Amino acid sequence: MRVLIDVDGVCANLVDAVLDQYNYEYKDNLKYENINVWNMETLFCDRFGKKIDYYFEDINMYKKVKPIWRALDGVLRFRAMGHEVVFVSSGFFPAKVEWLQKNGFLSDYRADWHYSKEVIVAGDKSMIVGDIMIDDKPSNLIGHYGILFDQPWNRKDPYPIRALDWQGVVQKVRDYDGR
């Protein structure tokens, strides 16, 4: 079985790194649980403007990103169960692929190319073939058996299959797989 996994918000806690930088620069106190909408910039102070892309595209940002609790355990369990794991992201930065490798998520990384056959970049994730998709954005799950990874910014969405954490993700994959 091929398991497709989003990176940011599912494996990588990019939001905390962005908030740390933003709060430091603008002397604000915005917290993770305050990010309850997809357009984060609407929550930032007026001085911030449209600089959100700068934070998400900053190649140094991934040096500050921590893995989401038990994400690696879940990925390793899927591989141990014989599943193919493919990370799918809507944005490609060599730093993101390096982060996946540094944190143990990739098994086939080629540092000379910033390449891995386990990473696919797609603006439209419905085009990627897989048996299960795990993502924090409900619209990315269209066309897949999807598991919505719970985050403050997706809690208003009524998506029917939701996991509150990686233990829940692993259980839902087991249920789907019949193991």
Side-chain angles (χ1 to χ4, degrees), residues 132-147:
I132 293 179
M133 166 76 82
I134 303 157
D135 207 301
D136 63 319
K137 187 172 186 180
S139 62
N140 286 339
L141 299 172
I142 294 170
H144 296 283
Y145 174 84
I147 299 170

Side-chain angles (χ1 to χ4, degrees), residues 53-159:
D53 290 342
Y54 165 77
Y55 287 129
F56 285 104
E57 295 171 5
D58 179 1
I59 61 171
N60 293 311
M61 190 60 66
Y62 276 92
K63 293 176 183 172
K64 304 170 190 172
V65 172
K66 293 183 173 37
I68 289 179
W69 186 69
R70 302 207 58 188
L72 181 58
D73 292 342
V75 169
L76 295 177
R77 283 183 190 217
F78 295 155
R79 288 191 180 123
M81 294 165 69
H83 300 320
E84 176 186 10
V85 174
V86 178
F87 296 94
V88 182
S89 185
S90 59
F92 172 76
F93 308 104
K96 186 182 292 195
V97 178
E98 289 171 13
W99 182 90
L100 286 165
Q101 172 61 25
K102 179 181 131 199
N103 287 282
F105 288 93
L106 300 180
S107 62
D108 74 332
Y109 179 68
R110 292 194 49 188
D112 58 331
W113 293 5
H114 299 292
Y115 169 81
S116 169
K117 68 179 182 172
E118 297 170 341
V119 179
I120 297 174
V121 178
D124 180 357
K125 293 181 182 181
S126 69
M127 296 174 23
I128 308 303
V129 177
D131 298 291
I132 293 179
M133 166 76 82
I134 303 157
D135 207 301
D136 63 319
K137 187 172 186 180
S139 62
N140 286 339
L141 299 172
I142 294 170
H144 296 283
Y145 174 84
I147 299 170
L148 184 64
F149 191 82
D150 186 70
Q151 291 290 3
W153 48 88
N154 67 29
R155 290 194 179 132
K156 294 176 186 170
D157 192 284
Y159 195 82

Side-chain angles (χ1 to χ4, degrees), residues 3-78:
V3 181
L4 307 173
I5 304 173
D6 181 32
V7 178
D8 300 323
V10 176
C11 295
N13 189 348
L14 179 60
V15 170
D16 266 349
V18 167
L19 286 175
D20 286 348
Q21 187 66 32
Y22 162 78
N23 285 331
Y24 173 77
E25 284 184 30
Y26 291 93
K27 310 297 185 250
D28 205 349
N29 194 27
L30 197 56
K31 300 202 180 319
Y32 192 88
E33 53 273 4
N34 299 130
I35 308 301
N36 59 7
V37 295
W38 270 101
N39 298 330
M40 288 176 65
E41 67 272 9
T42 62
L43 302 173
F44 293 140
C45 67
D46 292 338
R47 300 182 304 270
F48 187 71
K50 295 290 181 186
K51 229 171 103 172
I52 186 84
D53 290 342
Y54 165 77
Y55 287 129
F56 285 104
E57 295 171 5
D58 179 1
I59 61 171
N60 293 311
M61 190 60 66
Y62 276 92
K63 293 176 183 172
K64 304 170 190 172
V65 172
K66 293 183 173 37
I68 289 179
W69 186 69
R70 302 207 58 188
L72 181 58
D73 292 342
V75 169
L76 295 177
R77 283 183 190 217
F78 295 155

